[in-house]
Amino acid sequence: MAKTVAAIVGRPNVGKSTLFNKIAGTRISIVEDIPGVTRDRIYYETEWNGKPIVLIDTGGIEPKTDDVILEKMKTQAEIAIETADVIVFMCDVHAGLTADDRDIGVMLLKSGKPVIVCVNKIDSIGALPWEYYEFYELGFDGDPIALSSVHGTGTGDLLDRILEYAPADETEEEPDDSVKVAVIGKPNAGKSSLVNRVLGEERMIVSNIAGTTRDAIDSFVENEHGKFTFIDTAGIRRQSKIFDRIEKYSVLRAHSAVERADVCLLLIDATEGITDQDEKIAGIAHEAGKATIIVVNKWDLVEKDNNSVKEFTDKIRTSLAYMPYAPILFISAKTGQRLPKLFEFINYVNEQAALRISTGMLNDILSEAITRVPPPTDRGRRLKIYYMTQVDVRPPKFVIFCNEAELFHFSYQRYIENKLREVFGFNGTPIHFVIRQKGDE
């Protein structure tokens, strides 16, 4: 069934994100009483009367501005308008019909797309305020919809109107079997630039102002390497530097993006080198058990010699000693250097994270490992390992049964892990062990 795509546009702070979240039933877009909070296009798919609708929340449009972020927000809204089947034009009844509303209305008329005018913040039930009738002057077909995005009144009427512009059914729908790739890292590491390069369009706002991307945004791409959904996340800062509530939401969103992902790309700025914050961000993916690729971006900006790659690699391996399994790739999002290799790495580590080994093969390797290096003893007690079995993937998870769990020291677990990696690979993914002793259920 074809999906109706509706873009929600309007001036800043008229309630677009509040409406978006109300329909979604969850806090997807960040909402604060500050103009310009929602900067990028946010997508959400829902259903109304059994028919799919894709909503696009956009940053507020300032028709006349010299501010670089506001100008780019306008560009993003324009892109959303181009991709939508119908435009939901949000206005504020308390502000009345403003000059900016009129300018936006002219822009929407020129787009040639159908437009539904919504007059928001009409919270009372009964007679409509006289200010509502001003919005007929915009000249769009149909009556403006009286709406309260906070209370949800009028949303049913809006969704009914949106479905009036449903496109003809298509034979194919976007597949949902793509590899989910979360792009994580510090602010300004080049995350949005990388996603934009991959997609071939300016999907994310890109600027040199830290914190530009505040929401985690999904973008689907299909190429000769397969199907991928890239999740661009807000840059993760040190906790001590997170001063405002919006920034806190963004960090939480980045954690959530990691949880949803199959593969994480940890972007490191080659011009800065690896930092303490990079180590902490890597730890988020590691602790979540996600397959991870360490991507050194901006490599084109670094003065190099024959030892540059080795020296940078050694620094990463020292700083991220807890994740030696993660491959390292040097790229340039700006020039596209080694991007085809990136897709190969993504597919490879994704397959490795889903690798499942039979119990028979596992115990053959376990027996050989025990023979080579016997289990440790502690005050006369020797660890006895009975058998091992794999119980899960993403990450590969193994249960090892032994006589006394407290004798199974971390160092010997690492030895068993290294043997598994030596034989089966598991490149790019952490491995989890569960130690159970005889008699445990």
Side-chain angles (χ1 to χ4, degrees):
M1 186 180 296
K3 301 169 184 175
T4 309
V5 180
I8 306 173
V9 304
R11 292 184 296 106
N13 208 29
V14 294
K16 298 182 299 299
S17 294
T18 303
L19 172 66
F20 182 87
N21 291 339
K22 192 70 175 181
I23 294 173
T26 185
R27 190 177 182 130
I28 293 177
S29 277
I30 297 170
V31 179
E32 286 291 336
D33 191 21
I34 305 169
V37 168
T38 302
R39 294 172 171 177
D40 291 296
R41 287 168 285 153
I42 311 296
Y43 293 74
Y44 180 76
E45 183 173 339
T46 186
E47 278 193 3
W48 184 250
N49 292 334
K51 297 179 180 179
I53 295 173
V54 177
L55 297 176
I56 309 176
D57 188 21
T58 66
I61 300 175
E62 292 275 14
K64 299 170 184 176
T65 179
D66 295 325
D67 184 279
V68 62
I69 290 292
L70 291 176
E71 182 61 35
K72 291 204 171 199
M73 285 162 57
K74 179 183 175 184
T75 300
Q76 289 297 306
E78 289 171 345
I79 295 172
I81 290 166
E82 290 175 10
T83 60
D85 299 306
V86 58
I87 313 302
V88 176
F89 181 15
M90 291 277 288
C91 302
D92 181 349
V93 72
H94 297 319
L97 183 60
T98 68
D100 281 349
D101 288 328
R102 294 181 189 276
D103 290 343
I104 294 170
V106 171
M107 183 182 78
L108 295 179
L109 282 169
K110 289 179 180 178
S111 75
K113 296 290 181 75
V115 175
I116 303 169
V117 177
C118 287
V119 184
N120 192 29
K121 304 182 183 179
I122 299 179
D123 301 325
S124 59
I125 299 174
L128 294 170
W130 65 265
E131 294 89 349
Y132 161 84
Y133 297 96
E134 291 182 345
F135 295 92
Y136 280 93
E137 295 180 27
L138 290 168
F140 295 105
D141 293 337
D143 296 330
I145 292 179
L147 193 73
S148 171
S149 57
V150 171
H151 299 105
T153 54
T155 54
D157 294 336
L158 171 60
L159 293 170
D160 285 339
R161 284 274 293 277
I162 288 173
L163 287 178
E164 292 177 10
Y165 302 98
D169 283 342
E170 300 173 352
T171 55
E172 290 185 285
E173 293 188 2
E174 181 180 296
D176 59 3
D177 57 347
S178 60
V179 180
K180 309 302 186 297
V181 184
V183 186
I184 61 175
K186 295 183 307 182
N188 287 342
K191 298 179 296 300
S192 294
S193 296
L194 173 60
V195 176
N196 287 341
R197 186 78 190 191
V198 166
L199 296 174
E201 64 164 308
E202 192 162 332
R203 171 67 175 81
M204 316 296 172
I205 294 173
V206 179
S207 75
N208 59 359
I209 303 172
T212 298
T213 302
R214 295 193 172 191
D215 294 289
I217 304 169
D218 294 6
S219 298
F220 177 79
V221 64
E222 183 174 3
N223 57 27
E224 66 271 22
H225 301 283
K227 303 167 185 174
F228 307 89
T229 298
F230 281 84
I231 310 168
D232 183 31
T233 62
I236 307 174
R237 303 174 187 273
R238 289 180 180 274
Q239 196 68 26
S240 60
K241 293 185 178 180
I242 303 176
F243 296 111
D244 59 42
R245 295 167 60 192
I246 302 166
E247 185 86 7
K248 290 180 181 179
Y249 299 148
S250 298
V251 173
L252 291 173
R253 189 79 33 77
H255 281 263
S256 176
V258 169
E259 291 294 336
R260 290 195 291 127
D262 300 312
V263 176
C264 292
L265 303 183
L266 171 65
L267 256 66
I268 294 174
D269 187 335
T271 63
E272 294 185 7
I274 188 162
T275 66
D276 290 344
Q277 186 64 0
D278 291 317
E279 295 177 32
K280 292 178 181 179
I281 295 169
I284 295 172
H286 176 73
E287 291 171 9
K290 299 298 179 177
T292 301
I293 302 167
I294 300 168
V295 181
V296 182
N297 190 29
K298 307 182 185 179
W299 193 239
D300 57 312
L301 301 180
V302 175
E303 291 187 14
K304 296 176 281 291
D305 57 34
N306 292 337
N307 294 319
S308 296
V309 170
K310 182 181 183 304
E311 290 173 358
F312 208 107
T313 298
D314 289 344
K315 290 177 182 177
I316 290 174
R317 292 302 182 204
T318 299
S319 298
L320 303 181
Y322 56 86
M323 53 190 315
Y325 53 82
I328 301 172
L329 182 64
F330 294 80
I331 71 160
S332 168
K334 182 178 180 180
T335 67
Q337 181 185 17
R338 296 193 185 89
L339 282 194
K341 197 73 177 176
L342 178 62
F343 284 104
E344 294 177 16
F345 274 46
I346 291 170
N347 282 331
Y348 178 58
V349 301
N350 184 52
E351 291 168 0
Q352 292 284 294
L355 199 60
R356 191 178 288 275
I357 311 300
S358 70
T359 300
M361 293 180 68
L362 283 174
N363 285 285
D364 287 344
I365 300 304
L366 180 62
S367 296
E368 181 183 341
I370 291 172
T371 300
R372 285 175 178 259
V373 179
T377 60
D378 185 2
R379 289 174 291 183
R381 297 177 299 163
R382 178 173 291 280
L383 172 66
K384 294 181 181 179
I385 300 175
Y386 301 122
Y387 71 97
M388 174 169 56
T389 187
Q390 185 175 358
V391 296
D392 208 352
V393 296
R394 301 184 187 280
K397 184 177 180 181
F398 302 90
V399 176
I400 303 178
F401 292 86
C402 64
N403 60 335
E404 291 187 61
E406 66 178 21
L407 296 177
F408 208 136
H409 299 153
F410 173 78
S411 59
Y412 202 73
Q413 288 184 41
R414 178 58 59 87
Y415 167 67
I416 298 298
E417 177 181 335
N418 290 339
K419 283 299 176 184
L420 291 177
R421 293 188 184 280
E422 184 182 307
V423 176
F424 302 113
F426 293 115
N427 297 310
T429 180
I431 291 176
H432 289 179
F433 289 116
V434 176
I435 310 303
R436 290 184 181 170
Q437 65 186 38
K438 192 174 182 180
D440 285 351
E441 293 297 327

